Amino acid sequence: MKNVIQSILHSHLIPSCPHADLCGTKGRSWLSEQVVPQDERLAIDRHLREFDRLGEDLQVIERDLARSALADEGVKRLMTIPGVDMTVALAMKAAIGDVSRFDDPQKLVSYLGLNPSVRQSGPGPAYHGRITKQGRGHARGMLVEAAWAAARAPGPLRAFFLRVRARRGQHVAAVATARKLSVVIWHLLMKGESYAWARPSLHAKKLRDVELKAGSKALLQQ
């Protein structure tokens, strides 16, 4: 929507909005001051209304996801891991399903496509290459993003990331940390435990943010 509105402005040689959010309060005030033909003004107003409608729909979806997260002990356990927020935890639970179908953590790693590919010809030595990228690509991508976040938080995951980065570079380190995260997730879900090096204050803040998104406690009990 913002790009469409901006293209309308550009077609009339109006420069980009000087404010960070074109659809925010200051951005809309600036928009109202721009001189455009009446039909273009109506189009801009229509796009702004659609932007607001989509925003309201997203708030409803986010509220429902937050309520689901608060009702799921597994999701809350995963959120004890640095870098894993509500969205990542819900996505991993949805992608994994019943964790007991994975006999060991390496099978979950393979399921997420985070295991290195292996090349071998005859009796010669095996060579390990890039990750296979098979399986759940969306969940894999979210784990890599979580790995970057975990690398900024004090703890074993950050220490692991830094060790790998020193040898192989930061991108390989992020993927390796994502692989380690998948192993940690398997253990937490299988054993019903929280992350051993969890930061209670950080976890409490995560849960508080989820509660705010979910609405009041009275609503949660409905």
Side-chain angles (χ1 to χ4, degrees):
M1 296 297 172
K2 294 181 181 180
N3 289 338
V4 174
I5 294 174
Q6 197 66 66
S7 67
I8 293 175
L9 298 176
H10 285 169
S11 68
H12 296 284
L13 303 181
I14 298 174
S16 299
C17 177
H19 305 291
D21 187 0
L22 179 63
C23 294
T25 303
K26 292 182 179 179
R28 293 187 188 216
S29 177
W30 176 84
L31 267 177
S32 66
E33 298 172 354
Q34 307 310 306
V35 179
V36 294
Q38 182 62 22
D39 61 327
E40 300 283 39
R41 173 61 61 188
L42 292 174
I44 290 174
D45 292 342
R46 184 174 66 253
H47 289 308
L48 287 174
R49 289 195 300 272
E50 181 66 10
F51 179 86
D52 292 337
R53 185 190 66 78
L54 291 174
E56 292 172 358
D57 289 346
L58 287 174
Q59 286 182 347
V60 172
I61 293 172
E62 190 173 58
R63 182 200 64 195
D64 292 343
L65 288 175
R67 293 181 179 183
S68 297
L70 290 175
D72 192 318
E73 291 301 320
V75 169
K76 289 190 284 188
R77 273 193 288 272
L78 295 186
M79 289 175 63
T80 62
I81 307 172
V84 176
D85 59 9
M86 178 193 78
T87 304
V88 175
L90 282 169
M92 293 309 302
K93 277 298 299 291
I96 294 171
D98 183 2
V99 71
S100 63
R101 64 195 180 105
F102 301 100
D103 296 333
D104 58 67
Q106 290 308 314
K107 290 188 176 178
L108 176 58
V109 171
S110 298
Y111 177 72
L112 296 172
L114 286 167
N115 56 316
S117 57
V118 179
R119 292 174 296 168
Q120 186 174 18
S121 178
Y127 295 93
H128 294 81
R130 298 174 181 272
I131 59 173
T132 61
K133 292 188 178 180
Q134 296 178 351
R136 296 291 188 131
H138 180 66
R140 180 174 60 252
M142 296 193 78
L143 266 187
V144 173
E145 290 300 318
W148 284 109
R152 294 192 292 269
L157 290 171
R158 172 175 169 79
F160 174 79
F161 174 88
L162 294 177
R163 286 199 304 272
V164 178
R165 188 183 69 175
R167 302 194 315 269
R168 305 288 303 279
Q170 63 179 3
H171 294 293
V172 173
V175 173
T177 305
R179 186 184 306 121
K180 184 169 284 291
L181 275 175
S182 65
V183 173
V184 171
I185 287 171
W186 183 89
H187 282 286
L188 298 191
L189 294 178
M190 185 64 76
K191 300 175 183 177
E193 299 175 350
S194 296
Y195 184 59
W197 290 274
R199 298 167 60 191
S201 59
L202 178 59
H203 185 232
K205 182 181 182 303
K206 289 182 183 178
L207 290 180
R208 179 55 181 160
D209 290 342
V210 176
E211 289 173 352
L212 290 174
K213 292 176 182 177
S216 68
K217 292 183 179 179
L219 286 174
L220 291 175
Q221 295 171 354
Q222 291 181 359

